[in-house]
Amino acid sequence: MRPIPRYDFIIPILTFLSLIPTHLANPIDNGLVDSELIHECVTHKAVEVILLLDASGSIGDDTFKKQLSFAMHLASRLNISEEGSHMALIQYAETPKLEFSLGQFNHPTQLEWAIQRIEYQSGATNTGQALRLTLEKGLQGARTGIPKVAIVITDGQSQDDVSEPSQLLRDADVMVYAIGVTNLVNVHQLHQMTGNPVRVFTVESFEQLDRALADSLTWSMCKTEFRPGTPEIICGPDRIGVKASTKQPFEGNVFVMDHYHDEECRAGPEKFPDSRSIGLTVPFSACNVHRYRSLNPKGIFVEVSIVFMFHSLFMTKTDQTVKVQCFYMEADKHVTVPLSVSMITTVFREQIYQMPQCAYTLRKGAPDGPIVRFATLGESVYHRWECIEVEGADKDTFGMLVHSCYVDNGYGDRVDILDSNGCGLDAVLLSTPDYDTSLRLATKPYHVFKYADRPVLQFQCQITLCLKYDGGCEGITPPQNCKKLPGEDGAHHHHHHDHPERRRKLVRRLADGVGTIDVFTDSVTVLEQEPSCQQPVQYPFINTNLWIMAIITLTNMLVFIVTVWFTFRKRRCKPS
């Protein structure tokens, strides 16, 4: 599967399909927070804390000492002891350094001495490397079943990537907090590190790294027992998921709806180092994760429904289902090509193209027939893939290749029907599509089939676009190396021996394409036979009887009217 290309902004969306039970969220009391309340909160709770201090060149020795003072304020708030909380500390600049590890100093006096003896490092700002060191060495000595928290302090912008190591930390059940100091800090990077804006703190100067901030941070962590307070969604570059915490140790399963029996789509207690911090992430290519494109705003929606089943064997009314949806907003990207070259002076003229709009439909009776939503078993229906030039029908800029198609019944049963080269795999299901001369329209008839006991089908494909300029679509589309399938009638495609070198060239050409998008058909309900409405039987004698009854009724009414008239007249003529 091709990774989603160049998306610079991700919007997580979490939809609850039923009321949130108390198993998934801790209520937060309404009330003023004071030192006594914080002390009461942390006294009987343990946590593994890794503190990351910014030691870059913009900090300076005096400012770095303010961070050390904050570290001591924070340590004094936590229940530091053998059985209580443990703390590790990393200072980072160009190269991060683990000053002391978890469990090395478990007495408050020893820990304070260890913090005071740290010397300022100085250098560039590589926060990403510090996060990786946290994952590789900072978690050594962490106890099983104890929640883990990383706190990052920074005054600027990291010179390396922070999103990937932050996601790896969250995958390791580490809850990340970030404190940004001064107005020069990159807030977007802070959000990338934490994955949740609730865990981002910002202050205007290092003087504000004081006891009050230590209190606020400690309370923010402790009030949810150093775990996510409410379910948090995970929007990774190639996967999606959700994390949550429970009040009691979790003994059930977390799984993708309708995929309980797929091991890749399920996580049980054995996969949770902390039995009260649970969750599941799945790749885009598995567990029936749905992807569909948005044109305004431009990007891709990725969604999946995940079930929290609290009993180890049975579904109960306390179970929770959440619909997780991530939106990957597409970065502004222009396709540019050189249009003219002079022998004297090299001149490059830039042409900007708008990407075409692509759709995948099933049509009844003909390639341009009505869209199919209901069909009968064995009925002839046409697949239709089409990309329309946004700049007008007279433009001939793009070509397309339809490939990597499969059919899904919505219950995880998936069968591939076109391979990654765009070739058919089974003539009974679907042969290689026929392309028109524009290379933006492909069709293919097939006879409707269905899964046993599953009446609903949905087809999904990928479309790779290419620029026709200067032969940019040659070798990409139409498919050039498709083998003739048993049962195919006639040769509609170029069939060549699938030489390994030819295959490698095709892979390289696909990589040169403008972009690849996912397209879906509407769901189709397959009926065993076409329903027919029985016409009412017409009997000729019924119409005759109706006329006779109407005449009799009118006659009776006339007799009644005449009788009433004579009776009334007779009474008026009688002498008084």
Side-chain angles (χ1 to χ4, degrees), residues 508-541:
R508 288 196 296 269
R509 294 297 291 167
L510 284 174
D512 293 337
V514 175
T516 298
I517 58 177
D518 295 299
V519 288
F520 304 83
T521 65
D522 292 332
S523 296
V524 178
T525 301
V526 181
L527 308 174
E528 295 287 347
Q529 59 184 7
E530 187 173 359
S532 59
C533 298
Q534 187 174 358
Q535 296 294 330
V537 180
Q538 299 291 336
Y539 299 98
F541 67 86

Side-chain angles (χ1 to χ4, degrees), residues 541-554:
F541 67 86
I542 291 181
N543 292 334
T544 305
N545 291 342
L546 288 175
W547 278 107
I548 294 173
M549 291 177 63
I551 293 172
I552 293 173
T553 302
L554 289 174

Side-chain angles (χ1 to χ4, degrees), residues 213-497:
L213 180 60
D215 285 344
S216 297
L217 178 60
T218 305
W219 175 248
S220 177
M221 295 187 296
C222 186
K223 68 185 179 182
T224 57
E225 302 185 6
F226 303 100
R227 297 175 174 90
T230 55
E232 297 181 356
I233 72 174
I234 299 167
C235 297
D238 59 353
R239 55 191 162 164
I240 185 173
V242 63
K243 283 187 177 294
S245 59
T246 61
K247 283 190 172 182
Q248 303 297 330
F250 186 75
E251 298 178 351
N253 289 280
V254 183
F255 62 93
V256 176
M257 183 180 289
D258 300 322
H259 291 270
Y260 177 84
H261 296 288
D262 297 338
E263 290 189 7
E264 187 179 16
C265 310
R266 184 185 75 240
E270 70 281 357
K271 294 187 179 180
F272 304 134
D274 179 1
S275 62
R276 294 177 53 198
S277 183
I278 62 177
L280 177 68
T281 59
V282 294
F284 293 163
S285 58
C287 308
N288 200 30
V289 174
H290 287 288
R291 291 181 293 168
Y292 53 94
R293 193 169 185 82
S294 169
L295 296 177
N296 187 21
K298 286 186 177 181
I300 288 180
F301 281 99
V302 182
E303 65 181 29
V304 67
S305 294
I306 294 179
V307 179
F308 291 86
M309 186 176 78
F310 289 87
H311 192 277
S312 59
L313 296 175
F314 305 109
M315 297 286 292
T316 66
K317 66 179 182 180
T318 61
D319 295 341
Q320 173 73 42
T321 301
V322 295
K323 182 177 181 180
V324 182
Q325 187 180 72
C326 297
F327 179 66
Y328 295 79
M329 187 174 290
E330 187 173 352
D332 291 334
K333 179 174 68 174
H334 300 301
V335 181
T336 61
V337 293
L339 290 184
S340 65
V341 179
S342 168
M343 293 299 293
I344 301 174
T345 305
T346 303
V347 179
F348 294 95
R349 297 180 185 171
E350 189 177 78
Q351 177 68 44
I352 300 175
Y353 301 107
Q354 293 190 36
M355 301 288 278
Q357 297 180 1
C358 300
Y360 180 17
T361 55
L362 298 178
R363 303 296 182 121
K364 185 173 184 177
D368 56 352
I371 295 177
V372 174
R373 291 184 175 86
F374 296 90
T376 57
L377 198 61
E379 181 181 358
S380 180
V381 170
Y382 282 80
H383 289 259
R384 179 186 175 98
W385 302 267
E386 184 175 21
C387 290
I388 300 174
E389 296 273 10
V390 176
E391 297 180 341
D394 58 327
K395 299 293 183 180
D396 190 28
T397 306
F398 292 93
M400 71 173 189
L401 173 70
V402 180
H403 62 94
S404 306
C405 298
Y406 64 87
V407 59
D408 191 345
N409 69 346
Y411 291 89
D413 299 320
R414 166 176 164 172
V415 174
D416 293 327
I417 53 177
L418 290 185
D419 65 14
S420 59
N421 301 327
C423 300
L425 297 172
D426 187 335
V428 175
L429 302 181
L430 184 66
S431 300
T432 305
D434 299 318
Y435 291 76
D436 74 347
T437 55
S438 72
L439 298 181
R440 290 186 301 276
L441 174 65
T443 60
K444 197 67 183 179
Y446 89 109
H447 294 286
V448 174
F449 58 86
K450 76 180 188 72
Y451 290 87
D453 300 326
R454 304 295 192 199
V456 178
L457 295 177
Q458 186 178 36
F459 295 86
Q460 178 179 346
C461 293
Q462 289 188 326
I463 292 180
T464 295
L465 299 170
C466 56
L467 278 172
K468 291 184 175 180
Y469 177 77
D470 198 23
C473 290
E474 293 179 6
I476 294 181
T477 185
Q480 295 286 316
N481 57 341
C482 299
K483 297 179 180 179
K484 186 173 180 180
L485 302 174
E488 260 189 331
D489 51 344
H492 299 286
H493 311 281
H494 303 282
H495 302 291
H496 301 286
H497 178 64

Side-chain angles (χ1 to χ4, degrees), residues 103-302:
Q104 186 174 347
F105 301 105
N106 294 329
H107 190 278
T109 304
Q110 293 177 337
L111 183 61
E112 184 176 343
W113 172 82
I115 294 173
Q116 288 175 340
R117 62 184 284 272
I118 296 175
E119 295 183 358
Y120 171 57
Q121 183 174 323
S122 187
T125 307
N126 288 328
T127 314
Q129 288 190 29
L131 294 168
R132 291 187 184 277
L133 183 66
T134 302
L135 184 67
E136 295 167 1
K137 294 185 177 181
L139 297 178
Q140 292 179 359
R143 295 161 291 177
T144 303
I146 304 297
K148 300 179 285 291
V149 174
I151 303 169
V152 184
I153 301 176
T154 181
D155 76 332
Q157 176 170 320
S158 176
Q159 295 173 311
D160 60 352
D161 176 63
V162 299
S163 60
E164 183 181 351
S166 299
Q167 184 60 58
L168 292 174
L169 279 173
R170 293 196 292 272
D171 290 344
D173 293 317
V174 179
M175 195 162 63
V176 182
Y177 282 80
I179 302 175
V181 187
T182 76
N183 57 1
L184 300 177
V185 71
N186 187 326
V187 178
H188 178 60
Q189 284 189 344
L190 300 184
H191 289 176
Q192 285 182 315
M193 285 187 275
T194 65
N196 190 333
V198 173
R199 295 199 289 271
V200 172
F201 292 76
T202 56
V203 293
E204 294 182 358
S205 66
F206 281 92
E207 282 71 20
Q208 292 180 293
L209 292 179
D210 53 14
R211 295 180 185 273
L213 180 60
D215 285 344
S216 297
L217 178 60
T218 305
W219 175 248
S220 177
M221 295 187 296
C222 186
K223 68 185 179 182
T224 57
E225 302 185 6
F226 303 100
R227 297 175 174 90
T230 55
E232 297 181 356
I233 72 174
I234 299 167
C235 297
D238 59 353
R239 55 191 162 164
I240 185 173
V242 63
K243 283 187 177 294
S245 59
T246 61
K247 283 190 172 182
Q248 303 297 330
F250 186 75
E251 298 178 351
N253 289 280
V254 183
F255 62 93
V256 176
M257 183 180 289
D258 300 322
H259 291 270
Y260 177 84
H261 296 288
D262 297 338
E263 290 189 7
E264 187 179 16
C265 310
R266 184 185 75 240
E270 70 281 357
K271 294 187 179 180
F272 304 134
D274 179 1
S275 62
R276 294 177 53 198
S277 183
I278 62 177
L280 177 68
T281 59
V282 294
F284 293 163
S285 58
C287 308
N288 200 30
V289 174
H290 287 288
R291 291 181 293 168
Y292 53 94
R293 193 169 185 82
S294 169
L295 296 177
N296 187 21
K298 286 186 177 181
I300 288 180
F301 281 99
V302 182

